[in-house]
Amino acid sequence: MWRVHDADTEVILFGTIHELPPSAQWQSPRIIDAFDAADSLVVEVDIPEDPFAVARVVEAMGIASGLPPLAERVPKDKRAALMKAVDEAKLPIAALDRMRTWLAAITLSDRLIDGAGFDAENGADTLLMRRAREAGKPIVGLETIAQQLGYFDTLTEAEQRTLLIATIDDMGSARSDAEKLVAAWLAGDTDAIAASADKELRTTPELLARLVQQRNVRWAAWIEGVMKRPGKVFVAVGAGHLAGPDSVQAMLAARGIKVEPIP
């Protein structure tokens, strides 16, 4: 966690993992105390409790007719690996064939992680939003679901296919990569988080810029605006956004805003 404050405003930055195994123990007293003391919770996207609300947006943006079969969207030497990933994810290929390439890549990745015992229902963001709702604490989303999916949807087809290939290539290490990331997160090792987070995104520079770098700049600007109003805000975003040279903290420092780590 990190803290930004002045005479009448405090912003707590907390890095989360979106999918966690149920055994992950992260809700320490210092985290919960900081959360409970805040007036509001800020997350990347305020996910509605109605699962169909998310599904409708995903379907509208990610499902299309007339697409080539998914196997034809990867090189011939990757097709066996693709079908292995599809089989391990226990997904019908007919359903994936109807997905735009970016959605197929995300769906495969999520199912493979889910199969390793990780679940968004156990994610830190989800649990914090649940706690906020139970306490009647306002939840603010930095982005909408459509905006977040739009970062993928506006990629060129070539970039989407690069993302799909990277997902296939990482299939064998998906579980160990997720376990390493969670271990680094629980240990507060930001260097290890920076090294292991967003592996697939690094194969697509445009996606890395859109999903990490540019968003960090915008979020830093948003926090700068919050500092002009009194109150206490708890900001919970993916841990990868708070690690590395392009972190939110680095963007705040560039604006002359001091960020203090909370030991």
Side-chain angles (χ1 to χ4, degrees):
M1 287 196 301
W2 291 263
R3 177 173 179 252
V4 181
H5 69 100
D6 57 22
D8 58 3
T9 308
E10 179 180 72
V11 176
I12 299 295
L13 301 176
F14 176 62
T16 67
I17 299 290
H18 302 315
E19 297 185 45
L20 286 168
S23 59
Q25 300 294 320
W26 60 270
Q27 299 184 60
S28 67
R30 74 184 178 95
I31 293 172
I32 297 304
D33 288 349
F35 172 84
D36 288 344
D39 304 318
S40 61
L41 169 66
V42 177
V43 290
E44 294 181 31
V45 176
D46 180 9
I47 302 293
E49 293 183 277
D50 175 10
F52 294 105
V54 178
R56 284 191 291 269
V57 178
V58 172
E59 182 175 359
M61 298 182 70
I63 304 296
S65 58
L67 296 170
L70 192 62
E72 294 182 8
R73 295 181 238 169
V74 299
K76 289 182 179 180
D77 64 349
K78 298 290 184 181
R79 290 176 186 173
L82 169 64
M83 297 313 297
K84 181 180 179 183
V86 171
D87 183 61
E88 290 191 7
K90 296 180 174 58
L91 290 166
I93 188 63
L96 290 165
D97 286 342
R98 296 179 57 240
M99 295 181 185
R100 295 199 63 200
T101 307
W102 65 264
L103 180 58
I106 292 173
T107 302
L108 276 172
S109 179
D110 284 349
R111 286 296 289 267
L112 291 170
I113 293 297
D114 290 349
F118 293 75
D119 191 342
E121 285 301 304
N122 299 318
D125 320 70
T126 301
L127 296 180
L128 287 172
M129 283 188 281
R130 190 176 301 155
R131 188 179 181 90
R133 291 188 178 104
E134 290 171 353
K137 195 186 297 287
I139 301 174
V140 178
L142 292 167
E143 300 164 345
T144 65
I145 297 170
Q147 183 180 0
Q148 199 167 75
L149 293 179
Y151 298 131
F152 295 95
D153 195 50
T154 53
L155 290 170
T156 66
E157 180 60 23
E159 290 167 337
Q160 293 181 45
R161 293 185 182 191
T162 298
L163 178 63
L164 176 59
I165 292 167
T167 300
I168 296 168
D169 288 343
D170 288 344
M171 177 183 64
S173 62
R175 178 170 188 155
S176 62
D177 287 344
E179 290 172 346
K180 288 177 184 176
L181 179 58
V182 171
W185 178 65
L186 291 172
D189 188 342
T190 55
D191 290 338
I193 291 171
S196 61
D198 307 317
K199 283 179 62 179
E200 291 91 350
L201 301 186
R202 294 191 195 112
T203 65
T204 310
E206 175 62 23
L207 190 54
L208 180 63
R210 291 189 195 187
L211 278 181
V212 180
Q213 297 160 345
Q214 293 172 13
R215 293 166 80 199
N216 290 356
V217 170
R218 288 195 295 272
W219 296 350
W222 184 89
I223 291 169
E224 184 177 33
V226 167
M227 296 303 297
K228 298 175 183 177
R229 303 186 296 274
K232 294 185 177 182
V233 180
F234 191 96
V235 178
V237 296
H241 292 282
L242 304 182
D246 298 315
S247 66
V248 173
Q249 303 95 302
M251 299 301 105
L252 287 168
R255 293 171 177 270
I257 298 173
K258 183 180 180 182
V259 184
E260 302 171 347
I262 300 177

